Amino acid sequence: MLNYLLSVHPGFGPLSWLSMLGWLIALGIGAYLYTIWQERNPVRARFLRRFGLGSSILGAAGLLLLALKAFRLPYISWPIWSYLAALATLIFMAWAAWFYSQRLPRLLAAGVRASGKVARGARTYTSNGTRPVEARAPAPPRPVATTGRREARRDKKRKSR
């Protein structure tokens, strides 16, 4: 087995063409998810951007290895590099499947529970950015201006906003 993995096999066989197709698809899907795809949920958007970046990197690495194999370089054209790249791609896809099925639903549920309140550990600041905002009651409304017409119009305009 080691002799096969460390020997030079020139040319592209059916396995090389199949792996090239797989890595082209991985590169295309990864580039699409990383650059174009829009997701409203921030947790799912972060996962899809990471998945897109990882898929793009692995697809580009696999295609680079196949291109170097086509030039029949002595050490690069060993089959072991293609198998290692394929193994890395499979491990990454298994991680993504596990994360999407196990971890992501828990993160999404935690986000739903925390909606409406300040999440534990979240950094929120006042409008001028000086200190953290605590959960507090809204300020009492201003009394209606009774001093003049201008102030009354201003208060009426503020209430209608």
Side-chain angles (χ1 to χ4, degrees):
M1 179 80 168
L2 192 60
N3 288 337
Y4 168 73
L5 290 175
L6 299 178
S7 64
V8 177
H9 292 285
F12 273 56
L15 188 60
S16 296
W17 287 106
L18 184 66
S19 62
M20 182 172 73
L21 178 67
W23 280 320
L24 275 173
I25 290 172
L27 179 64
I29 288 173
Y32 176 75
L33 289 176
Y34 187 72
T35 59
I36 299 172
W37 182 262
Q38 297 292 323
E39 181 66 41
R40 288 180 174 247
N41 189 313
V43 175
R44 195 175 293 128
R46 185 174 158 197
F47 167 74
L48 289 174
R49 284 187 55 85
R50 283 184 177 181
F51 179 76
L53 181 64
S55 180
S56 297
I57 290 171
L58 288 171
L63 289 174
L64 179 68
L65 284 172
L66 283 175
L68 292 174
K69 182 180 179 180
F71 290 124
R72 297 182 181 156
L73 297 174
Y75 296 108
I76 302 298
S77 63
W78 287 352
I80 192 167
W81 302 118
S82 297
Y83 285 109
L84 288 177
L87 180 65
T89 305
L90 288 176
I91 289 172
F92 177 72
M93 295 298 173
W95 168 83
W98 170 82
F99 190 88
Y100 193 78
S101 66
Q102 300 293 322
R103 183 87 171 111
L104 192 63
R106 282 188 259 148
L107 291 173
L108 291 173
V112 169
R113 280 194 309 262
S115 64
K117 343 174 223 186
V118 176
R120 184 177 41 158
R123 293 182 183 175
T124 55
Y125 296 94
T126 58
S127 59
N128 62 4
T130 55
R131 64 180 212 278
V133 174
E134 298 298 325
R136 53 186 148 167
R142 274 183 59 204
V144 177
T146 56
T147 55
R149 183 173 169 202
R150 175 184 263 172
E151 288 83 8
R153 288 181 67 211
R154 185 179 346 142
D155 285 344
K156 185 178 179 183
K157 192 184 268 188
R158 285 183 183 161
K159 283 184 181 179
S160 67
R161 287 186 196 170

